[in-house]
């Protein structure tokens, strides 16, 4: 791996000859699968890439609560409500672990939040699509959490210690989320014809946006080469997308649902399912801020931040009072 890091046009990956001694030693640690910890020396771009990826990941978990939170009050039974509530609370927890992991790199949670609220930092494209009815809760759990796990299981082996450790717990919870989504789909598919149609319609609308979650095709992925050389990413976007398709097609068959892509079929030569690429122009519009719900999502997060100001002010005032009391007690004792 180390020797293979030949600088190719556009990748920005340095060859060993171009590295400083410190960079070479760092790369050797990565190649030996050692974890990099917050106080260790690291190249500035490694730090910046992690802040970008972990920050976007944290924002996705937080914004990702909105399309599902919308359905907590409308869940069809008390049991479904309790399960969905627990799932949405898990997403909040994931956001918090990830913000903590990002903070170890020298950025504050407030700075990250400000960059989300101003639209400077991204979050996953998928959360800019609406959830129109209860079947969407099934499709989101099954396909969106399914795609999230496919991406996150390898991230348990990512090179940055705090990120990889956060991923271990997150992945356990995400598998429960995926199962609950599949369970909703199974109930609907075994229900009335109308319920099965709702499940099919939810799948039709979620399939391609779920494929987009893995990021642009490898030829358009600007960060993959360097991120993989640093083992921040373990797989390319297309590798994970293919694994997701291969896993999901038999699951859809079991439900009796049709993948909304007539090109999906098992390729006997490769052993993988062929499939159509998503509409990448739609993807790039969504990540530029022009998706169906981008404005609604950012407005909701901005409102939550503004509404929570009194709590932050109260906590700060309390902390200042405590610090002042401690300082005056110390002066009195001297
Ligand atoms: N959405 O060069 P690449 C979840 C951007 S968690 C928006 O390939 P990279 C749990 C990318 O940032 C879901 N933007 O980038 C849940 C870059 O733009 P930049 C989140 C995207 O980083 C479930 C540009 O395109 N998971 O769902 C997307 O190497 C249910 C070029 O792309 C993670 O964040 C996208 N889909 O690879 C919660 C996992 N894809 O930053 C609630 C960690 C790409 O230069 C309910 N992240 N872009 O302006 C990753 O693995 C990677 O960051 C990728 C993208 C694979 C997402």
């Amino acid at each position: 791996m180390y020797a293979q890091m030949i600088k190719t046009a556009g990748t920005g990956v340095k060859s060993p000859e171009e590295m400083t001694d410190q960079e070479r030693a760092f790369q050797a640690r990565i190649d030996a699968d050692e974890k990099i910890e917050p106080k260790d020396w690291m190249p500035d771009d490694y730090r910046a890439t992690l802040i970008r990826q972990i920050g976007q990941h944290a924002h996705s978990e937080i914004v990702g609560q909105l399309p599902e939170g919308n359905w907590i009050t409308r869940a069809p039974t008390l049991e479904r409500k309790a399960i969905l509530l627990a799932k949405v609370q898990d997403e909040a927890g994931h956001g918090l672990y990830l913000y903590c992991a990002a903070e170890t790199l020298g950025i504050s949670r407030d700075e990250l939040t400000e960059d989300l609220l101003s639209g400077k930092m991204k979050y996953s494209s998928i959360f800019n699509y609406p959830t129109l009815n209860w079947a969407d809760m099934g499709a989101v759990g099954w396909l969106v959490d399914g795609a999230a796990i496919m991406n996150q299981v390898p991230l348990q082996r990512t090179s940055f210690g705090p990120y990889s450790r956060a991923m271990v717990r997150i992945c356990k919870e995400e598998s429960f989320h995926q199962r609950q989504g599949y369970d909703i789909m199974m109930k609907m598919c075994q229900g009335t014809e109308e319920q099965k149609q709702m499940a099919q319609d939810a799948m039709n609308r979620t399939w391609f946006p779920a494929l987009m979650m893995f990021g642009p095709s490898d030829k358009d992925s600007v960060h993959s080469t360097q991120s993989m050389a640093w083992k921040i990413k373990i797989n390319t976007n297309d590798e994970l997308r293919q694994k997701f398709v291969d896993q999901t097609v038999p699951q859809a068959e079991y439900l009796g649902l049709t993948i909304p892509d007539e090109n999906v079929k098992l390729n006997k030569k490769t052993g993988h399912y062929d499939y159509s690429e998503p509409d990448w122009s739609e993807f790039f519009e969504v990540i530029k801020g022009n998706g169906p719900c981008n404005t609604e999502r950012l407005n909701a997060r901005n409102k939550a931040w503004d509404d929570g100001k009194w709590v932050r002010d109260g906590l700060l005032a309390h902390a200042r009072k405590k610090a002042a009391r401690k300082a005056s007690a110390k002066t009195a004792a001297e």
Side-chain angles (χ1 to χ4, degrees):
M1 173 75 198
Y2 182 57
Q4 287 164 8
M5 282 175 43
I6 307 300
K7 183 170 181 165
T8 51
T11 65
V13 179
K14 283 185 184 174
S15 68
E17 296 72 35
E18 289 170 308
M19 291 179 188
T20 62
D21 288 347
Q22 215 166 17
E23 288 169 341
R24 256 193 300 275
F26 176 82
Q27 189 62 48
R29 291 188 62 198
I30 299 273
D31 293 344
D33 283 333
E34 268 183 49
K35 291 283 175 244
I36 306 301
E37 298 298 336
K39 290 190 174 148
D40 296 346
W41 183 87
M42 59 185 83
D44 290 345
D45 284 350
Y46 177 85
R47 185 185 298 278
T49 301
L50 280 169
I51 290 175
R52 178 185 64 78
Q53 180 168 322
I54 303 173
Q56 288 178 358
H57 194 165
H59 297 330
S60 304
E61 302 281 357
I62 297 300
V63 178
Q65 293 176 94
L66 296 170
E68 289 180 299
N70 199 26
W71 281 92
I72 293 171
T73 53
R74 286 175 278 170
T77 65
L78 184 60
E79 192 190 6
R80 291 286 182 202
K81 191 195 282 277
I83 296 170
L84 186 60
L85 188 59
K87 176 187 192 291
V88 173
Q89 284 174 339
D90 283 350
E91 311 297 2
H94 299 175
L96 300 188
Y97 314 147
L98 289 163
Y99 284 129
C100 289
E103 281 186 314
T104 67
L105 290 155
I107 186 155
S108 73
R109 191 167 139 193
D110 281 0
E111 286 172 284
L112 288 165
T113 304
E114 277 159 23
D115 284 351
L116 166 70
L117 299 181
S118 68
K120 193 170 151 200
M121 269 182 97
K122 296 186 169 73
Y123 55 89
S124 182
S125 49
I126 189 71
F127 302 118
N128 293 306
Y129 290 85
T131 44
L132 303 180
N133 58 49
W134 177 252
D136 288 17
M137 293 303 94
V140 167
W142 172 34
L143 299 171
V144 173
D145 286 273
I149 304 173
M150 192 55 81
N151 167 278
Q152 291 172 163
V153 164
L155 288 178
Q156 293 176 104
R157 288 182 286 121
T158 193
S159 58
F160 185 57
Y163 192 25
S164 88
R165 290 188 287 274
M167 276 301 130
V168 174
R169 177 157 174 189
I170 291 179
C171 283
K172 288 200 173 95
E173 291 175 348
E174 295 289 10
S175 340
F176 147 68
H177 298 169
Q178 200 248 2
R179 289 301 297 271
Q180 71 85 36
Y182 197 70
D183 187 61
I184 293 174
M185 293 305 258
M186 206 135 71
K187 272 275 174 336
M188 295 198 77
C189 290
Q190 290 164 355
T192 62
E193 195 44 42
E194 200 185 349
Q195 285 167 328
K196 188 165 180 190
Q197 272 317 309
M198 279 174 73
Q200 180 67 58
D201 168 63
M203 176 172 201
N204 293 350
R205 285 180 287 105
T206 314
W207 175 254
F208 283 109
L211 292 188
M212 293 175 192
M213 287 175 71
F214 297 96
S217 63
D218 291 352
K219 64 178 173 15
D220 295 320
S221 169
V222 286
H223 301 296
S224 282
T225 311
Q226 180 63 80
S227 287
M228 288 179 71
W230 278 329
K231 296 187 186 167
I232 291 174
K233 278 170 82 165
I234 310 295
N235 300 93
T236 73
N237 300 350
D238 286 337
E239 278 168 9
L240 292 175
R241 198 172 359 257
Q242 181 69 61
K243 280 180 93 165
F244 173 75
V245 172
D246 290 348
Q247 172 186 282
T248 309
V249 174
Q251 294 174 348
E253 281 167 1
Y254 184 79
L255 291 171
L257 295 180
T258 310
I259 305 270
D261 173 6
E262 57 191 25
N263 292 324
V264 166
K265 56 176 173 309
L266 187 63
N267 182 325
K268 295 224 170 74
K269 270 197 214 134
T270 62
H272 297 290
Y273 283 91
D274 291 336
Y275 63 94
S276 306
E277 292 280 312
D279 177 352
W280 290 119
S281 60
E282 176 182 319
F283 168 79
F284 285 112
E285 277 305 306
V286 172
I287 68 171
K288 260 198 281 171
N290 303 324
C293 299
N294 295 61
T295 308
E296 188 184 329
R297 301 296 184 231
L298 272 192
N299 285 348
R301 288 315 308 157
N302 271 291
K303 180 174 182 315
W305 180 250
D306 294 343
D307 289 352
K309 185 173 183 309
W310 69 273
V311 180
R312 295 192 301 277
D313 288 350
L315 286 172
L316 270 177
H318 179 66
R320 281 196 199 107
K321 230 196 247 171
K322 249 175 99 178
R325 230 182 274 139
K326 204 170 159 193
S328 64
K330 198 175 161 218
T331 321
E334 281 164 3

